[in-house]
Amino acid sequence: MHELTRRLNELCDAQPFKTYWYLKDLRTGRSADRGGHAEVTSASTRKISIMMATLAEIAKGKLSLDDPFLIEEKYQHNQSGCFYLLRPGFTITLYDAIMMMIIVSDNTCTGKIVDLVGIDQVNEFCRSIGMTGTAHRFNVPPTATTPLDHPLEASNSTTAADVGHLLEMVVAGAKDAAAAKKLGITPELCQLALKITLQQKLGQLKDQLPPE
């Protein structure tokens, strides 16, 4: 872990911008971070907690993966994903929408999912599992009108440690019912979350990781 931390910090030091990260070896329990508890703009890492909050509502019976999901024009004013390019008015399922939100970072799906679950409910989910540095403020962040050096309150925010904590809970929940219950879902839904996440189609980070 010491050598890995040194190498990661060396890579970060070479960049002209600040980088924050958190990692944990689930086999040994050892962890390391670089500003892991600093609150920063969450960008699309927020979509992991949105997915899990949605699955929690499904576990309660308030939503279903098979629910029809209409693609509406009012959610297409963005440039992330695929569906903003298509003509509105077609219907997929909530399962499909979650899949697109995660694997291609589709904001047309994300905006409507947040409204469907409720942004207050998404925040309550995060608080309930200990993501104390995370705040969801917008269904889709207003990037077109927000300067790059904006204050945290002008967008959604999180910490690297919060995201790592959530991912660790999902991995644990996929194997253990008691761990899944802490997320308000079942092992099967945790397994589904991992299955969806592993279909990720974007990003250079994925190219540097082993398939498993």
Side-chain angles (χ1 to χ4, degrees):
M1 181 65 75
H2 176 76
E3 175 60 17
L4 179 57
T5 298
R6 186 194 67 78
R7 288 170 58 199
L8 286 171
N9 280 328
E10 193 175 68
L11 289 168
C12 295
D13 289 339
Q15 306 306 319
F17 47 81
K18 291 182 179 180
T19 303
Y20 302 93
W21 55 261
Y22 166 91
L23 65 88
K24 184 171 184 179
D25 185 336
L26 297 183
R27 295 166 298 181
T28 66
R30 296 176 67 189
S31 62
D33 71 277
R34 180 186 177 99
H37 296 280
E39 293 185 28
V40 295
T41 300
S42 56
S44 286
T45 61
R46 70 193 182 102
K47 293 169 185 174
I48 307 169
S49 53
I50 293 168
M51 171 175 64
M52 300 313 298
T54 306
L55 294 179
E57 294 301 289
I58 289 169
K60 295 174 187 174
K62 295 184 177 181
L63 297 171
S64 168
L65 289 169
D66 296 319
D67 285 344
F69 191 94
L70 178 67
I71 301 300
E72 301 176 68
E73 187 272 338
K74 67 179 181 178
Y75 292 106
Q76 291 181 296
H77 302 294
N78 67 85
Q79 294 184 329
S80 182
C82 300
F83 285 173
Y84 78 94
L85 295 166
L86 306 182
R87 291 183 295 180
F90 64 95
T91 300
I92 56 176
T93 65
L94 179 56
Y95 172 88
D96 298 327
I98 296 170
M99 178 71 78
M100 294 300 288
M101 174 177 71
I102 296 297
I103 70 170
V104 295
S105 201
D106 194 279
N107 271 347
T108 300
C109 291
T110 303
K112 183 166 182 174
I113 290 173
V114 172
D115 286 351
L116 193 64
V117 175
I119 200 163
D120 289 341
Q121 186 59 37
V122 175
N123 279 312
E124 175 55 33
F125 170 82
C126 291
R127 285 191 293 270
S128 74
I129 64 168
M131 295 179 72
T132 56
T134 297
H136 295 264
R137 300 182 179 91
F138 304 95
N139 61 355
V140 175
T143 53
T145 58
T146 305
L148 289 176
D149 58 347
H150 62 76
L152 282 180
E153 294 75 18
S155 189
N156 304 299
S157 57
T158 192
T159 72
D162 271 9
V163 178
H165 171 66
L166 174 59
L167 290 171
E168 182 180 0
M169 291 186 74
V170 175
V171 171
K175 303 174 183 177
D176 180 74
K181 189 175 181 180
K182 293 178 181 178
L183 287 164
I185 63 175
T186 62
E188 291 75 20
L189 287 173
C190 281
Q191 291 162 17
L192 176 64
L194 291 177
K195 175 185 174 183
I196 291 173
T197 305
L198 288 169
Q199 300 302 312
Q200 177 63 240
K201 303 302 179 186
L202 300 176
Q204 289 74 37
L205 180 61
K206 178 177 181 291
D207 297 335
Q208 305 300 318
L209 296 172
E212 68 274 15

